Amino acid sequence: MRESEGARLGLEMEMVVVRRGSGASHAAERYPETLARLKRARGEDIHLTLHGGRAIGVTGPLGESGFDNGYNLLETAFAPVAGGPGGLDRLAAAVRTELADVRDALAEEDAAVLNAAEHPAATLDMHDYLRIRVPRAIYAELVGHRGWLHRAGIDAKAQNGPCTAVPIEEAARALNVMLALAPAFIALFANSPLQDGRVTGLKENRLMLWDRMFRHARFAGDHRLQQLPERPFADLGEYFRWMFAPDTVSRGLPLAEDGEYKSVVSVYLDGHPSLGRFLQAPSWTGRRADNGRPVTLRPHSGHFEYSQFAHFLDARFRYRLAGRPPLEELLAAWRKPGGIEDLYTRVGVAGYIEGRAPGAVFPDRQLVEEAGADVAARAPMAASALQLGILRNLEAAEVLVGDWGWPALRGMRAMAIRAALADDRVRALAADVLAVAAQGLPDADRHWTMYADYVLASGRTGADRLLALWTGTPGGVAEKLRAVYARRALWLGDE
């Protein structure tokens, strides 16, 4: 039986951490142990992820909780819940439980979550970057080997990434729609107008991260892979040909047959080939990333699946295969129109669209006072509901993309980052997107878009509210941060 869009729902939720009272950026190094203790006290089966004897993650029934790139930025990757009737309610219940746990765990080290998609005044300097960065093996590759300016994101740039299952035969269509309509998501959830204690002139400064990180990278293809292509993808084969094109350089590949993306021992291939070129060779020499020793890798289809994270667009197709097809079969399928879809159907695949455009938004006292408790409580779920509605109304969404035009939508991204809903065309697009999403949601689920509805109607994004608070508070950065903390700290209504 064909699986429909939204058969499973997930969320990758990132959270900015600050000191209580002052609002200063905080490295919550004790957070995993405290969170694990609180969850175990409730009877949950909890596993701690350790690195060098230090806990950096907590895995339990709700999913995986821990840090993103730094100790000042939390991330929870929720375990998928069943979609269909009540699916958004189930995910919302998990989100509510997790936010309460996060709040209580942080309170034990006098810290809290801030409703922002980037800390307003955290430093980006190298000393603090090295102190705050989580010690994952992959960062040695990204910084030392590829030359990324990884510290450009160490000031707790936070997204709220909805994850919506899609049938493999519609994956490319779903991805195209989410990429094209990203300006509306950027604008509606804009929440990062400040950086390093200064007004940036942008409503969603967070999304300048990728250009800044890759602008002077060692391999030019890395910068291209964060720029929307000039036309939509015809199928998944074209999507992967774009991602692994001859002008790109393969990321480090796992030495072991199977390895976790951020902690595996990887191999840098000699001569810096693209992944496509590597996969067509009998074998390839390289060196281990951890000790520099020479090794020889024989390509297999697992390298293709492992490398699916190689780009930084506003949406990704993420997937896991039930079986590993022979490499020759994969390469043959890759050359045929619709071949990847056919092959993955045969071997078994679970895939979803990961939205990366929405900034992190949470309930706080300022939002409750302006929009009401119901709107504030639904803020963390609005992007998930919006993406689900779009993908459940895929044909209408494609008509919308066609009416606006791919080139025009491609050009609107920069304006959405700069002005959000203050730009009339971006606001009109957001209205169209909300209308299409509403048609894709059953009546019982439409209330989950209340935050986005309020933002569109009022024209006041999270960035606008934060800017008003920041500029309206007299004094220097310290005084402004205290005012921001008082009004913008996570507030669940039961404190």
Side-chain angles (χ1 to χ4, degrees), residues 9-63:
L9 302 172
L11 179 66
E12 293 188 7
M13 183 174 69
E14 297 174 354
M15 296 157 277
V16 176
V17 186
V18 297
R19 294 285 295 177
R20 281 184 164 187
S22 73
S25 185
H26 175 72
E29 298 181 52
R30 304 203 317 268
Y31 165 73
E33 294 95 333
T34 308
L35 185 67
R37 174 170 50 78
L38 293 176
K39 290 178 177 292
R40 284 169 176 157
R42 200 164 55 230
E44 295 183 17
D45 183 17
I46 295 298
H47 170 72
L48 279 174
T49 300
L50 302 177
H51 186 282
R54 172 185 286 181
I56 61 171
V58 177
T59 302
L62 291 183

Side-chain angles (χ1 to χ4, degrees), residues 18-25 119 477-483 485:
V18 297
R19 294 285 295 177
R20 281 184 164 187
S22 73
S25 185
H119 190 276
V477 169
E479 290 77 17
K480 292 176 184 293
L481 277 179
R482 284 195 290 270
Y485 171 80

Side-chain angles (χ1 to χ4, degrees), residues 263-288:
S263 60
V264 66
V265 174
S266 59
V267 175
Y268 305 151
L269 300 175
D270 292 340
H272 315 307
S274 67
L275 183 76
R277 184 181 173 199
F278 163 73
L279 291 175
Q280 296 178 64
S283 63
W284 206 283
T285 60
R287 57 186 177 87
R288 290 177 54 138

Side-chain angles (χ1 to χ4, degrees), residues 89-106:
D89 296 340
R90 285 185 284 275
L91 182 58
V95 169
R96 170 78 186 201
T97 298
E98 179 72 359
L99 285 174
D101 286 350
V102 171
R103 176 198 61 193
D104 295 346
L106 289 176

Side-chain angles (χ1 to χ4, degrees), residues 242-320:
W242 169 84
M243 196 187 315
F244 307 136
D247 71 324
T248 65
V249 172
S250 173
R251 298 279 286 275
L253 297 175
L255 180 63
E257 281 287 310
D258 297 290
E260 198 278 328
Y261 170 64
K262 290 187 177 181
S263 60
V264 66
V265 174
S266 59
V267 175
Y268 305 151
L269 300 175
D270 292 340
H272 315 307
S274 67
L275 183 76
R277 184 181 173 199
F278 163 73
L279 291 175
Q280 296 178 64
S283 63
W284 206 283
T285 60
R287 57 186 177 87
R288 290 177 54 138
D290 58 342
N291 58 27
R293 292 178 181 171
V295 294
T296 298
L297 276 187
R298 296 188 181 279
H300 55 73
S301 58
H303 291 130
F304 189 87
E305 182 181 2
Y306 175 85
S307 300
Q308 64 184 275
F309 307 94
H311 74 77
F312 289 83
L313 297 181
D314 292 324
R316 287 174 176 154
F317 174 61
R318 299 275 300 273
Y319 69 95
R320 183 181 296 274

